[in-house]
Amino acid sequence: MNEEFRAEENAYSNIGHVIGVISGKGGVGKSMVTASLANAMALQGFRVGVLDADITGPSIPKMYGLSGTVDADENGMYPAETANGIAVMSVNLLLPGEEEPVIWRGPVIGNMVKQFWTDVIWGQMDYLFVDMPPGTGDVPLTVFQSLPVDGVVLVTSPQDLVRMIVAKALNMSRMMEIPVLGMIENYSYMSCPHCGEKLYPFGESHLDEISSSYNVPILGRIPVDPELAKAADAGEFAGVSSTVLDDAVIRLREL
């Protein structure tokens, strides 16, 4: 990767691994996957942060019950901290109200993402997860060019059109010379509350076929779980843990 666009890390930050969480389309629960990965690594004892790069649709602070604005001094901005010790920076922690819209053009949004890297004092950090907006536009391009991304996790869903969407995101990552660590399928299935049988409300999964075609490992399949949505809506996602991402944890620990 050409280094000419690389942004300098804040002088008071020391980050081990930067992991992008991407999706080719919206509505696949990417922020929930990002938060789930962050929780899983924090439970392993690692120092973890989330850079919310979805500037116009930030949801990470709400999921963790974070509100108000972050502190800052001449050295930079200090991220907020969740109940389980995860550092978080999001545009919603800079605005006077969480419902205020961000009506900015692409270059301004891209510069804000870079500032979350250059101006935020992340401190000692083992893993920084970057929650990106869907698609292959300004923000993913800015993150891939400006941050030292060690790899990306691609979030998918079982819908039929997902193969084409996955291919776009995969191809962008490879064109930018960013390793694809693996794929996580969200909304993969649901368990019948009466008999425990797996049901597939969004259709049968194509994940095995896609994994084989593109030689990308599967890191997890997350079921439809109303309790996850309830925890996110209540701002209590810090208390969520799951064993369905054990393979993702193993892959991240290998970096």
Side-chain angles (χ1 to χ4, degrees):
M1 171 59 63
N2 195 321
E3 299 287 328
E4 65 177 300
F5 298 108
R6 187 61 51 82
E8 282 194 32
E9 185 178 55
N10 183 277
Y12 298 94
S13 298
N14 186 6
I15 298 169
H17 299 292
V18 178
I19 310 298
V21 182
I22 65 173
S23 62
K25 65 184 290 294
V28 297
K30 177 182 45 54
S31 294
M32 185 173 288
V33 173
T34 302
S36 297
L37 287 170
N39 284 0
M41 297 309 286
L43 280 172
Q44 294 284 312
F46 293 106
R47 292 161 295 190
V48 178
V50 176
L51 189 163
D52 188 357
D54 195 350
I55 302 298
T56 59
S59 54
I60 293 292
K62 170 70 174 174
M63 293 173 66
Y64 283 109
L66 300 174
S67 59
T69 54
V70 297
D71 295 325
D73 58 25
E74 65 276 7
N75 297 317
M77 297 179 284
Y78 294 85
E81 188 171 303
T82 67
N84 58 339
I86 295 170
V88 171
M89 178 53 73
S90 170
V91 73
N92 258 17
L93 299 174
L94 302 176
L95 299 173
E98 65 176 19
E99 295 184 359
E100 292 233 354
V102 175
I103 309 173
W104 298 342
R105 295 192 184 275
V108 180
I109 292 173
N111 283 333
M112 175 60 72
V113 171
K114 281 198 284 189
Q115 282 188 276
F116 284 170
W117 176 254
T118 60
D119 295 1
V120 173
I121 301 170
W122 292 101
Q124 285 289 133
M125 191 75 55
D126 297 308
Y127 293 91
L128 179 66
F129 293 95
V130 183
D131 182 21
M132 288 197 258
T136 55
D138 283 338
V139 170
L141 183 61
T142 297
V143 170
F144 286 168
Q145 288 185 323
S146 303
L147 275 60
V149 180
D150 292 284
V152 296
V153 173
L154 179 59
V155 183
T156 74
S157 67
Q159 295 160 301
D160 283 339
L161 84 161
V162 80
R163 184 186 181 97
M164 178 191 69
I165 301 300
V166 167
K168 288 180 180 290
L170 277 170
N171 288 334
M172 179 184 186
S173 300
R174 287 171 173 170
M175 288 171 67
M176 301 295 294
E177 300 177 13
I178 305 294
V180 180
L181 303 178
M183 298 184 294
I184 293 174
E185 185 175 73
N186 199 20
Y187 311 131
S188 186
Y189 61 91
M190 64 184 297
S191 297
C192 174
H194 304 293
C195 68
E197 180 185 356
K198 284 186 178 180
L199 307 173
Y200 301 92
F202 297 104
E204 292 286 342
S205 173
H206 302 276
L207 199 60
D208 290 314
E209 176 188 339
I210 295 169
S211 172
S212 177
S213 296
Y214 293 100
N215 194 29
V216 176
I218 297 169
L219 300 181
R221 302 172 193 262
I222 301 177
V224 178
D225 185 350
E227 293 303 313
L228 291 180
K230 188 185 298 184
D233 289 342
E236 298 173 352
F237 210 81
V240 170
S241 62
S242 175
T243 59
V244 298
L245 294 178
D246 286 352
D247 288 344
V249 170
I250 291 170
R251 182 70 185 93
L252 291 170
R253 291 188 68 130
E254 290 172 347
L255 291 176

